[in-house]
């Protein structure tokens, strides 16, 4: 099978390419990058007036399977991924049951293969059942295809457990991904603590709830030497702490979501849960610090924290409604909306190069011999209509907004899985 | 245009607010006929127990001739948002035109009002708002001083958890009252210092300058919640007692939304003090609620 991505402006930061080039993929791997490559007898993806990048990787999504398939399935989640321009996603372990055994992880991999869309990289739990007490079997999980470990959604409350986990897993290259939130400081909060929560009479979680766990985890990372990744940073202080740790030689990376870059905590006047998310949308000072952190290189990766829920679940009272938004199908445009000044090279680095490097997975480059995973995208404004999402989750604060950029085509192993607004499972692609 | 609902004080324009108070005074001076809301079905929907507020609303509704229905579903049922829309539809279907609602969650009244094709009066939602309480406090202040602009008022105690304080802050600042909040940082975070409201920690320094002081109830569970070291420690700084009463001017007044905790935020001396206006507040509450119902249902004032 041969596929030619023709006529696009290739942005490949690792090779230092930013020029109009054709990309030829044969038998799943990039075999040529050049001008005016021969298109005879190959499947052609027209990328004229568009950008061509190594496939985008979302290193933080929730596919809800097993256990909550009314919210999402691996099939619907990976359809959303490729429709959003992602060739691969890392799925978080807060499923039911949690991804804390090789058997469950293998089942996720099997279902992802059956769906035949985006690559799925499971993230194993740090503690059994994500309960914060007993260590998960890291080597067995790694053998079963886990690419990192996290108790996402929460964090081990007991620092000794987390330290032991990091020490035990130290011989594995797999990083620990921290959801930084102190459950005690957070309490029953439904939003950020600040002027808005005071005015509305709503329980607020202070930025401090994130900062103290970021500080703790960075010190444990330093102590254990483990590579560490801070998920969905949301505060200015978190970024300061990460800069400090890097200055001390700690191997730490971090990610930011589109919603934390775009919105602040002034969205609760109607008392609906449409804007309820963890960590909560912060204030303008934090949001501005996050934007600056992307531009100055402190933030390594874009990640959606795609967290689908049923509409009826989100329609409950604020206290009862679940946290999180669907994100895969708006991300490419949402980052561009929040950061119009971000250059394309850095944009691709955050969406592809760095997620691949942090997770240690293929991708991040279109160099000859690399996996034939490609995202074609363009600066073409479009208006979000969440009802049309492939994801079962229809809740996003970007609904109804006009985004400046969108994915046009998604190619995995040389197979076109998304083009012209249609998702095409890999099996159906003519060989 | 009359507002459809009263969810907080600022659903009223300042002139409208004063109009409601004028009307409440008129009702107090001479009870209106029972034809104001004759035959209008009004539902009192109290998810959270409140003898005083529920009784006051019921009396107000009866005095304007409404068909009063009272329902106390308790805290557990009907709490889920997915049933708010259904509940609102059902209530409208059976003919309810006004819902007076109290709920333990901030924003419930707003969510109900968004779904209900009729008038909603917020009788207290979580820690958010309690507009009719603020209106009766304002009525009591005007009765005392004949004006609002320039009055110096302190609200003392657990501001963080007080819907009464929030609605009073909104209403008082709207009318040009100089508002100072007093309390420990755990019950009065700095984030309250905005929109023309000041924060002070020293009640003693402030008392001599005040026209009115509003004492809020302190709940004992704030100690177990880690917000206060002890009631003794709290009362040492913030209790209104005999010694502090001496600092309060003779022409100043003391307000309390009730119910109070004797020996905590205030002592028996305060309740016996001639400057205390607790009874006037409760009395005014009925007339304010009559005026609110009249405004929502009938719009511009009709002959009393
Ligand atoms: Zn998380």
């Amino acid at each position: 099978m041969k596929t030619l991505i023709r006529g696009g402006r290739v942005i490949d930061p690792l090779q230092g390419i930013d020029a109009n080039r054709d990309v030829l993929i044969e038998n799943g791997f990039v075999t040529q990058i050049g001008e005016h490559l021969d298109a005879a007898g190959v499947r052609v993806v027209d990328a004229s007036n568009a950008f061509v990048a190594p496939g985008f990787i979302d290193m933080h999504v929730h596919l809800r399977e097993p256990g909550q398939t009314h919210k999402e399935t691996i099939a619907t989640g990976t359809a959303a991924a490729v429709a959003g321009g992602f060739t691969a996603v890392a799925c978080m372990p807060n499923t039911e049951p949690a991804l804390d055994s090789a058997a469950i992880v293998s089942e996720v991999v099997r279902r992802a293969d059956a769906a035949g869309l985006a690559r799925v990289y499971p993230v194993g739990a740090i503690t059994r059942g994500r309960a914060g007490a007993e260590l998960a079997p890291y080597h067995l999980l790694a053998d079963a295809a886990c690419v990192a470990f996290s108790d996402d959604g929460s964090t081990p409350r007991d620092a000794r457990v987390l330290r032991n986990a990091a020490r035990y897993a130290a011989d594995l290259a797999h990083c620990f991904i921290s959801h930084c939130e102190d459950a005690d400081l957070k309490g029953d909060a439904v939003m950020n603590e600040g002027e808005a929560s005071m005015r509305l009479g709503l329980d607020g979680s202070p930025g401090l709830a994130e900062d103290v766990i970021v500080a703790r985890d960075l010190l444990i990372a330093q102590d254990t030497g483990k590579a560490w990744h801070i998920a969905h940073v949301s505060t200015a202080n978190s970024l300061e702490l990460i800069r400090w740790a890097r200055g001390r030689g700690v191997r730490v990376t971090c990610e930011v979501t589109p919603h934390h870059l775009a919105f602040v905590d002034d969205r609760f006047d109607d008392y609906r849960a449409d804007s309820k998310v963890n960590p909560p949308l912060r204030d303008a000072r934090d949001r501005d610090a996050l934007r600056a952190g992307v531009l100055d290189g402190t933030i390594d990766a874009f990640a959606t924290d795609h967290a689908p829920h049923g509409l009826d679940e989100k329609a409950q009272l604020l206290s009862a409604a679940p946290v999180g938004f669907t994100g895969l199908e708006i991300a490419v445009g949402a980052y561009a909306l929040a950061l119009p000044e971000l250059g394309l090279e850095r944009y691709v680095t955050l969406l592809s190069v760095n997620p691949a490097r942090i997770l240690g997975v293929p991708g991040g480059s279109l160099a000859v011999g690399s996996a034939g995973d490609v995202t074609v995208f363009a600066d073409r404004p479009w208006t979000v209509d969440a009802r049309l999402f492939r994801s079962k989750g229809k809740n996003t604060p970007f609904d109804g907004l006009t985004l400046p950029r969108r994915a046009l085509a998604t190619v995995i192993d040389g197979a076109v899985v998304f083009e012209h607004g249609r998702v095409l499972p890999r099996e159906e692609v003519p060989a | 245009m009359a507002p459809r609902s009263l969810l907080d004080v600022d659903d009223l324009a300042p002139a409208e607010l004063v109009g409601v108070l004028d009307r409440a005074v008129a009702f107090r001076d001479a009870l209106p006929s029972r034809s104001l809301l004759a035959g209008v079905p009004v539902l009192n929907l109290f998810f959270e127990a409140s003898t005083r507020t529920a009784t006051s609303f019921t009396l107000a509704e009866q005095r304007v001739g409404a068909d009063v229905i009272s329902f106390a579903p308790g805290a557990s049922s009907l709490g889920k948002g997915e049933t708010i829309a259904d509940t609102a539809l059902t209530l409208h279907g059976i003919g309810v035109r006004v819902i007076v609602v109290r709920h333990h969650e901030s924003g419930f009244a707003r969510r109900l009002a968004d779904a209900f094709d009729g008038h909603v009066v917020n009788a207290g939602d979580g820690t958010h708002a309690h507009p009719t309480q603020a209106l009766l406090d304002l009525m009591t202040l005007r009765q005392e001083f004949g004006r609002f602009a320039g009055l110096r008022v302190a609200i003392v105690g657990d501001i963080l958890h007080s819907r009464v304080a929030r609605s009073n802050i909104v209403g008082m600042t709207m009318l040009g009252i100089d508002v100072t909040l007093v309390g420990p940082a755990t019950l009065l975070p700095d984030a309250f210092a905005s929109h023309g409201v000041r924060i002070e920690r020293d009640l003693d320094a402030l008392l001599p300058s005040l026209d009115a002081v509003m004492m809020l109830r302190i709940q004992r569970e704030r100690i177990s919640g880690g917000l206060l070291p002890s009631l003794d420690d709290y009362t040492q700084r913030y209790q209104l007692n005999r010694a502090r009463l001496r600092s309060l001017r003779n022409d100043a007044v003391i307000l309390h939304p009730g119910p109070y905790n004797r020996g905590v935020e205030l002592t028996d001396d305060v309740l016996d003090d001639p400057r205390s206006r607790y009874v006037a507040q409760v009395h005014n509450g009925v007339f304010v609620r009559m005026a609110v119902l009249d405004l929502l249902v009938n719009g511009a004032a009709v002959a009393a």
Side-chain angles (χ1 to χ4, degrees), chain B:
Chain B
M1 265 303 271
R4 279 167 49 92
S5 292
L6 182 71
L7 306 180
D8 201 354
V9 177
D10 57 3
D11 285 330
L12 304 171
E16 233 173 359
L17 196 167
V18 172
V20 167
L21 300 186
D22 288 343
R23 196 124 183 91
V25 170
F27 289 163
R28 188 183 60 199
D29 292 345
L31 281 180
S33 81
R34 292 189 178 239
S35 63
L36 277 183
L37 264 71
V40 175
V42 176
L43 171 68
N44 294 320
L45 187 60
F46 278 59
F47 292 86
E48 196 181 70
S50 164
T51 310
R52 282 170 328 116
T53 302
T55 306
S56 180
F57 266 108
T58 304
L59 192 55
E61 290 151 7
Q62 288 170 346
R63 282 186 174 170
V64 293
D67 285 350
V68 182
I69 316 157
S70 287
F71 183 44
S76 57
S77 65
L78 283 176
K80 303 271 183 167
E82 61 201 326
T83 67
I84 288 181
D86 297 342
T87 304
L89 206 62
T90 305
L91 292 172
H92 183 257
I94 60 177
V96 171
R97 284 184 58 200
V98 183
I99 303 174
V100 175
V101 65
R102 169 167 289 195
H103 196 277
H104 47 85
E105 179 153 337
S106 297
F108 186 88
R110 169 67 199 264
R111 294 284 299 274
L112 184 64
D114 285 346
F116 178 64
D117 187 14
H119 312 284
V120 171
V121 181
N122 184 4
D125 64 325
T127 57
H128 171 231
H130 193 354
T132 57
Q133 174 71 39
L135 290 172
L136 71 86
D137 290 333
L138 292 169
M139 180 174 172
T140 308
L141 285 176
R142 197 177 67 165
Q143 183 180 336
E144 203 64 43
F145 299 100
R147 66 188 170 94
F148 294 118
L151 286 183
R152 303 197 63 180
V153 177
I155 305 175
V156 184
D158 185 359
I159 315 286
L160 182 63
H161 301 95
S162 174
R163 54 195 173 207
V164 174
R166 273 184 185 75
S167 283
N168 264 300
I169 290 168
V170 171
M172 287 177 176
T173 52
M174 257 171 76
L175 296 169
I177 293 176
D178 179 347
V179 181
T180 305
L181 310 177
V182 188
T186 46
L187 302 179
L188 174 54
D190 290 336
F192 274 97
S194 62
H195 312 299
V197 178
R198 278 188 312 282
I199 286 179
E200 291 288 345
R201 308 287 178 203
D202 187 348
L203 179 59
D204 289 304
L206 193 67
L207 275 176
S209 68
L210 296 176
D211 295 299
V213 56
M214 175 182 292
M215 304 304 296
L216 299 177
R217 170 183 164 84
I218 293 294
Q219 293 166 301
R220 287 168 198 281
E221 55 264 36
R222 301 298 171 219
I223 296 174
S224 56
L227 295 172
L228 296 175
S230 72
L231 287 183
D232 283 348
D233 200 274
Y234 176 83
T235 57
Q236 189 268 340
R237 274 187 80 70
Y238 300 106
Q239 180 187 64
L240 193 56
N241 51 31
R242 183 179 303 218
R244 290 199 170 99
L245 282 172
R246 284 198 286 272
S247 312
L248 196 62
R249 290 203 321 261
N250 281 332
D251 61 339
V253 296
I254 303 160
L255 303 177
H256 195 299
Y260 30 72
N261 285 327
R262 289 169 192 264
V264 185
E265 70 270 11
L266 45 70
T267 59
D268 287 346
D269 309 279
V270 175
L271 301 173
D272 298 337
D273 194 281
R275 290 166 291 187
S276 178
R277 290 293 176 272
Y278 180 65
V279 175
Q281 287 173 275
V282 174
H283 187 63
N284 287 338
V286 177
F287 303 106
V288 155
R289 287 165 181 133
M290 291 166 67
V292 165
L293 290 166
D294 182 29
L295 175 71
L296 295 184
V297 173
N298 297 318
V302 294

Side-chain angles (χ1 to χ4, degrees), chain A residues 60 152-153 179 232 305:
Chain A
H60 192 140
D152 187 44
H179 174 113
H232 41 54
D305 192 7

